Amino acid sequence: MSDFGFYSGKDFLEKKFESKEYLIDQILFQKDCITLAGKAKTGKSVLLFQLICALTSGKPFLSEFAVKKKCRVLYIQLEGSLGDSQNRFLRMLQQLSFERENFFILFSPPLALNQTSSMLKVMDEIQTSMKEIDVLIIDPIYFAMAGSLSDDEQ
């Protein structure tokens, strides 16, 4: 049921609306979509790896934000090298908790997830390889789409 509509202030504050549950307190809701953006080489992937560690282990993100449950995470890496990612990850694991069985990585050339055939191919690969995931991380998102991010049609 949708909550779309017009509400008086009284109705808005008194009505019981369904609210989403957090996966990570104050940061990430279940069934939510977030974007991490920043300039090149500012540590976005490092932050994502810390997020992965917290989600897979159920330990607080950045030692501060509670993780509500352990999650199965798929990280789709669309740039860089697996060797560099592995090295960075192994160094982080000297300090962070991580559960390997809850982590999956798909290393791929650029995708076209805004095209049905490409999306279905990736979804089939995910279902074949890991059955079910809780969190999907695509890094970087601009390599996951055909066309230009500045083109509204794409």
Side-chain angles (χ1 to χ4, degrees), residues 6-75:
F6 181 83
Y7 299 92
S8 69
K10 178 183 183 304
D11 291 341
F12 171 71
L13 294 174
E14 291 177 359
K15 181 177 176 172
K16 297 290 183 197
F17 294 99
E18 183 180 325
S19 60
K20 298 178 188 177
E21 291 188 37
Y22 280 110
L23 283 178
I24 299 178
D25 200 26
Q26 302 177 49
I27 295 177
L28 178 63
F29 286 108
Q30 288 185 11
K31 298 181 181 179
D32 229 355
C33 180
I34 61 172
T35 302
L36 176 61
K39 293 181 181 180
K41 305 297 177 198
T42 57
K44 297 179 300 294
S45 294
V46 171
L47 187 63
L48 288 176
F49 285 169
Q50 290 185 11
L51 182 76
I52 290 166
C53 288
L55 287 166
T56 62
S57 68
K59 303 290 183 193
F61 176 54
L62 301 176
S63 300
E64 184 170 332
F65 301 96
V67 174
K68 300 300 181 180
K69 68 172 190 163
K70 292 180 185 179
C71 297
R72 291 170 52 92
V73 178
L74 171 60
Y75 177 69

Side-chain angles (χ1 to χ4, degrees), residues 141-152:
I141 192 67
Y142 62 88
F143 276 176
M145 306 294 174
S148 167
L149 290 180
S150 62
D151 180 358
D152 288 343

Side-chain angles (χ1 to χ4, degrees), residues 58-139:
K59 303 290 183 193
F61 176 54
L62 301 176
S63 300
E64 184 170 332
F65 301 96
V67 174
K68 300 300 181 180
K69 68 172 190 163
K70 292 180 185 179
C71 297
R72 291 170 52 92
V73 178
L74 171 60
Y75 177 69
I76 298 180
Q77 180 178 332
L78 302 174
E79 71 177 355
S81 76
L82 284 179
D84 289 345
S85 296
Q86 182 186 52
N87 184 296
R88 182 180 295 149
F89 215 84
L90 288 170
R91 285 181 290 151
M92 278 189 185
L93 294 182
Q94 294 175 15
Q95 300 295 318
L96 298 174
S97 297
F98 173 72
E99 291 198 15
R100 295 171 189 230
E101 64 275 4
N102 288 335
F103 175 69
F104 303 85
I105 185 167
L106 171 60
F107 184 56
S108 172
L111 300 170
L113 297 180
N114 53 336
Q115 296 175 352
T116 303
S117 61
S118 295
M119 174 63 86
L120 291 174
K121 183 178 176 186
V122 171
M123 289 173 61
D124 183 56
E125 189 168 347
I126 291 169
Q127 290 174 339
T128 300
S129 301
M130 50 185 300
K131 309 292 184 244
E132 186 178 309
I133 58 171
D134 300 302
V135 176
L136 171 65
I137 297 172
I138 302 172
D139 183 18

